[in-house]
Amino acid sequence: MKPVRRLLHWLDARREDADLRAELEFHRTEVQRHLEARGVDPSQARLQSQRVMGNLTLAREDARDVWAIRTIDVLWRDVRGGARSLRRDPTFAATAILTLAVGVAATTTVFSVVDSELWKPLPFAGTDRLVEVYSTRGGHARQDSISGADFVDWRAGTPAFAELAASGGGSRRTLQREVAESVSAVDVTWNYLQTLGRPAVAGRTFLAEDARAGGVVITDRAWRRLFNGDPSIVGAPLRLDGRPARIVGVVEAVDVEGPDYDLFVPIDETTAPFRDRGQQMLTSATGRLRPGATLAEAATQLQGVAERIAHAYPEGRTGHHVEVEDFRRYYMRNDARPLYLLLVASALVLVLTCVNVAGLLLARALKRRSEFAIRGALGGGFSALVRQLIVEGFCLALPAAAAALLLARWSVGALGAEMPPDYLWRTSALSVDWRVCAFALAICALTAVIFGLAPTVAARRIDLSSTLGDGARTAGATPAQSRTRGLLLSAQVALTVVLLAASGLFLKSYAALTHVPLGFDPVGGVSFRVTLSGTRYQTPEQLSAFADALQQRALVIPGLRRAVIATSSPLISGAVVRFAVKGSESAALVPEPAAIIRAVTPEYFSVLGIRLLQGREFASSDTATAPRVAVINEVLARRYFGGENPIGRTLTILPGQRAPWTRHPGDVIIVGVSTNTREVGLNEVEFSDVYVPFVQMPSPWVELIARTDVPVSAVAAPIRSAAARIDPAIPLGTVTPLDSRIDDALREDRFHVLVMAGFAGVALLLAATGLYGAVAYAAEQRRREFGVRLALGADGRQLVAMALGHALRIAAIGAGAGLVVAVGLAKIVGNAMYLVPRVHNGLLFGVSTSDPVVLGGAVVLLLCVTMLASAVPARKIAWIDPVTSLRQE
C-alpha cells in the first residue's frame, strides 16, 4: 500500500506541497511566538526562528522524498524542463518533429505493406504444416499440370500427409437465380477447404457427395455482393452454367492465393476425364502434414510415387519431378523482391531522417554549451544531464510518432489507391493495425535514445572553466565537432544520391517501356468479352453460331468499321497448348514446346494491325470441314524451324490440354507467319503464338474486337444490347478500349516510379534542410569574424562565396560517397532487378543499374539543390552590420 500512497501523493503534489509549506510556516511562527514571549525583539525572534527551523525548501524536498516516489518526481520535473526548453526554441522543435514524422511515416507505410504481405500470420489454422505440391518437367522451374489419376496416386501413396487436396484452373461461370451473374469459380477436390483450414461462416464446407449433388461454396465477399448477405441463400436452389446447383456454405474470402474466387466447385473424381491420365485437369495440390512429419519426408514419398507412375506410364512423363514447398514461401516468393526494395528505400529515408535530426540536436547542443557549463558549475552531475537530454528526445519523439501514424494512415490509403490490383496477394490485410503502431513507436523510442546520446557526447567534452571564463565569444564548435557535423551532412548527401539514382533508374526504365513495340495497333480498338456456359453451348456448332451472330450484329452498329471474334487478344495472354513439329531438327533442340493459342475469325490480323511476314490470313474457305490450318508468329518460326520456310509444314496439337476447347488433338497446316505481339506485359520474354480459325476450334471464351471512329461510350451500350438480344441469359461484360491495356500494363512500373520518386523527393528535401541549416549555423557562429572582416573592408561577395564553397565541399564529398555506394549496390544487385523467365518479373527494363547518365543526373541535381538551399543563408552574410555585430559581442 505504501507505493500506492506515494503515487497518490505525487498525483496531488501541488496541494500536498501547499499544505506542507503552511505546516512548516506554522511551526516557525510558533517558535517565533515563544521567543517573543521571553522578551526577544520581534525582528530578532523571526531571524532566530528561521535559524532553528533550518532550510525550509530542503525540508519540503526531504518530505516529498518520503511521501512520493522520487524517480517519478524527478522524471516529471525533467519532462517539464524539457518541454519548456523546446517551447523556448519552437523553430527547432517544429523542424525536428516534422522531419522525424515524415521519415517514420515513410518507413511505417512500407512496413505496413510488407508486414501484411509477408509477415502477418495467414488466416488458416496450423499454417506451419501447410505445403504446396506441384509438378515440373525437364529440370525447369515451370509448373506443369497434373492429371486427376496421378493426383489420386499421390494422395494414396504419401502417408506423411494428413490431407492432400487439389485445385484446377479458375474460370468465369454463369450463376443464375433471378438474374444471370458472371462469377469467378475454381474447381477443387471436395477436401480442399478442410485441408487449408477455412471453416464455414454460414452453412458448411464440402462433403464427398457434393460433387455429384451440385453443391458449391461461396465466399462471404461474393455473398454480400450478389445476395446482400442473405442467410436464406444457403441451401436454396439456383443454376450454375445452366445446371441445377445449391450453395451449401459460405467461407471467409482471403487473398493468399491471389484475388479470391467467388465460388468453389467440387470436382467429381468418379468421371472418366478425371481418371484419364492424359487429361491434365489440375494445376497444383495443397497438403497438410501429419504431426511429426517433415517436408523432406513428404517430398521423398511423393517423388517415389511419381517415379512409379512414370515407370508404369512413361508417355509424356520423361523428366517429371514433384516439388513440395512451404505454403507461405510458395505463394509469397514472386512478389517479395519489389517489397524488399521499397523497404530498403524507406529504411534509407529513415536513416537520413535520423542523421538530419541528430545534426539538428548536435547544433543545438553546441549553442547550449554555456547552459551545460553553468549546470556543471552548480554541481549538476553528468548523469542528470544525460537524463534531461534523453527526456527532451522523448518529448520530440512522442509527438513525432503521433504525427507519423496520422501520415501513415493517410499514405497507406493513398498507396492502396495507386497500387495495381494484382500487386499484392493479400490486399485485404493491408491496414495500419497494432503491429504497425508498435513498429512506429519502437522506431521513435530508439531514435529518442540516439537523440539523447548525440548531444551528450558534445556536452561531456565541455571545458567548464574556459567556457565560463571566455563567455559567448568562443562558444562555437570545436574542429572535431565541426568535422562531426560535416560528416553527418555528407552522409545525408550520400544517401540522397543513392535514392535519386534509384528513382532515376525506375524513371528511365518506365520511359523505355513506353516506347516498346507492341506488335499491334491499339488506337481506335474496343474489346467486349463474353463467357458462354450451360446446356445451350455444349457443341462446337452452338459456340460458332453465337460468335457469328455477335460479329454480324456488331458490324451494323453505327460507328463500328470492322469487327472480328477471338478467344483472346494481345496483353491479356490466352490458353496454352503443347505441340510437336513434324520433321524439324530445330524443334528437338528446344525443350517444352508450348505456345499461346488463339482461335480467331478472318481479318483478325488486319483489324488489330498485326503484320503478316509470310503466307496468308484465314479466309472464309477455312471452314469446320476444311483442312485445319494455323498461323504462327515469328518467335515460333525461329525457334522450331530455324532458317526453314514454315509455310506448308505441320504442327501437331498434343492431347491433354487443360482448357476444354483446346482438347482437339491433331495436325494443323501452317499457312502464315505473323509478327510478334506483347502477350502479358511490356517487359516480357518472347512467347510462341499459334492462331487457328475460330470455326475449326470454337471456344466458350468469346471476345469481340472492333475498330471505331467514335468514343467508346457511344458504342458500349449497342454492343451489349446486341449480345443480350442473342441470348438474354448470358452475363454481359464491359466494353473497354484496347489502349487501356497499355495503361494497365504500365501501372506497376508507374507505381514503382511514384514511390521511388517520393522517397527521393523526401530525401532531397531533408538534405536541402540540412545544408541550409549548416550554412545558417556557420554564419551565426562566425558572425563576429565576418563583422570584423567587413569592418576592415572585406568584400561581402567573397564571404558569401566562402560560405557557398563550404556547402559545396560537403555536397561534393557526400555525392562522391553516394556514387561509390550506388555503384557498389549495382554490382551487388547484378541482374536481380531484371526479368528472369519462370522465376520473377523484372523491375527494370532497358537501363543498366550503373547507368552513367542516371548517376550523373543525380549528382547534378543534388549540387543544384545545394546551391539553392545554401544561397539564402549565405547571402545574409553580406548584410551583416559590423557595428551591431561587434557591439553584441
Side-chain angles (χ1 to χ4, degrees), residues 42 128 250 254-255 290 341 391 404 578 831:
D128 58 318
V250 180
V254 297
D255 296 322
R290 293 185 183 278
L341 172 68
V391 167
R578 289 186 293 112
N831 294 325

Side-chain angles (χ1 to χ4, degrees), residues 55-76:
N55 190 331
L56 298 183
T57 302
L58 183 60
R60 289 201 307 272
E61 291 180 354
D62 290 339
R64 277 199 300 268
D65 290 342
V66 174
W67 290 351
I69 302 175
R70 178 174 175 79
T71 303
I72 296 179
D73 193 47
V74 171
L75 182 61
W76 178 244

Side-chain angles (χ1 to χ4, degrees), residues 565-588:
I565 297 293
T567 54
S568 64
S569 52
L571 286 179
I572 57 172
S573 190
V576 177
V577 294
R578 289 186 293 112
F579 64 90
V581 181
K582 289 188 175 181
S584 174
E585 296 181 0
S586 300

